[in-house]
Amino acid sequence: MNQLLQEKRDAEQFLRLIAPKYTGVFIVDRNTGTFRDVLADETFRNYVKDSKGSFLDAMQLYRDHYVACDYKEVIDRVLDYDYVYNILASGNQVNVTYRKKDGTLIRLKIDRYSDNDENLSIWVYTNENSEDALYGELGEARFRVQFDDSERPIEFIGNESLSEMLYGFKDETHIPFSMLWQHMHPQDIDLVKEEFKNIHDSKDSTATYEVEYRLQNKDKQYRWYRAIGKPVLNEKGKIVSVCGFFIDIHKHKEKALLQQRFISGLSHEYVTVWVVNQDLTVELWQQSKKGDHIAQKAIEEFAKINNYQKSMEKYALNYVCEEDREEFLRRVDYRVVRERIKTEKVYPVVFRREYNGKVDYFQTCFAQISEETDDFVLGFKMVNDIVQQEKERNDRLEEEKQILESLSSDFTAIYYLEVNSGKFEPVHIRDKSNASELIKNYLEYKD
């Protein structure tokens, strides 16, 4: 027993040593409601004793004592095992962030613990305000902008990590500040200059400087970075320098811009447009004026549940006509949608929606944003006019079909003819007739 306890303490010490940002690591068993802690502080272990080993009860005590009010719903969401394990079963992770009452930002990542037991999951809590978390994969990619006595920026200094990232250098980089503009994307220069002006005008040593822009890296390619820093003032209140660090946000930024370009190209006829993230959470991206009065309650409920599968099930139960409900749920199942949008540019599903006693034809439309992401777009729009036109067209075609069938037995040749242009199209030509031979020989004739 002593050896097991010592091994556990060694594992905890190892985790804290290699990654100070870890605040808790737990293995949770949905079947029993119990858990094992790989890393936990004494306060949480006391909560476990008070809750008699129940992970959910311990987490509720933690939420009540430590989580900021605005973020308690986040904890409530992950304490719904059905929500969590549905996402894990789809092959995705659960990723949420929340703030503690002291302002610390915590990220919780939940993943499957074992391929052999679907009831086991691993819950990893990290302190996103820790230095280790902020620098992420870049390490300490720090910079300093040095100012002269007239409070003008004169030198840009990057440490070894930043020099390697931007220039491929091994040592600390010192360049004239004016050279920074040569490495920056022309469209971003005015934004950065404006931010520096704000720092100069405010002279607030507690203010945080944060701006996103593109810089050329060592491969001469523009990448998106977020620069975060603070001004340093001397005893006279003058700016001496701005110190901070860079975070590479290129993938995140490109994804956001891609979503924006993709969705902006969608029809404004959509009542709502949503982004469905790979963890099944949903974001309302666009709501037309129609959405202000068409089932506004449904829109709010859809967002409140904030889980694609559950949101669609609740929507179907409350709004989709009973005759269409089973087929609707089958076609909008998350796995079905993921498979369809891999091969189809747009995947539409038409259904009848009942609201306030009125039945309308609606279409929910799915589209993959790009091959770079598993996120996809979901849009709802009213298609009464389209359905009516389709019905009229089908009725007309059926009527024409019946007419042609009655004529075909009596006539050798039947043509559609546009009398204004003279264009024609053979509809029925009897085989081995003069007409069939003429058509073969005069295909180039258009009228």
Side-chain angles (χ1 to χ4, degrees), residues 82-99:
D82 288 340
Y83 164 77
V84 170
Y85 281 87
N86 279 339
I87 294 176
L88 300 185
S90 71
N92 295 306
Q93 296 177 339
V94 177
N95 279 284
V96 298
T97 55
Y98 62 91
R99 288 196 182 275

Side-chain angles (χ1 to χ4, degrees), residues 63-90:
R63 176 201 61 191
D64 294 341
H65 284 85
Y66 286 101
V67 178
C69 290
D70 292 342
Y71 292 87
K72 288 186 177 180
E73 287 187 5
V74 176
I75 302 299
D76 291 337
R77 191 189 312 153
V78 297
L79 294 186
D80 179 354
Y81 278 162
D82 288 340
Y83 164 77
V84 170
Y85 281 87
N86 279 339
I87 294 176
L88 300 185
S90 71

Side-chain angles (χ1 to χ4, degrees), residues 308 332-341 366 376:
Y308 169 77
V332 302
D333 180 81
Y334 181 79
R335 293 181 180 85
V336 173
V337 172
R338 290 265 10 122
E339 286 301 315
R340 293 295 293 267
I341 62 178
F366 304 89
F376 61 87

Side-chain angles (χ1 to χ4, degrees), residues 86-116:
N86 279 339
I87 294 176
L88 300 185
S90 71
N92 295 306
Q93 296 177 339
V94 177
N95 279 284
V96 298
T97 55
Y98 62 91
R99 288 196 182 275
K100 295 168 65 177
K101 290 179 179 178
D102 62 5
T104 304
L105 182 66
I106 301 293
R107 179 178 296 277
L108 168 59
K109 182 174 75 172
I110 308 172
D111 204 349
R112 292 186 66 172
Y113 180 74
S114 168
D115 290 335
N116 300 322

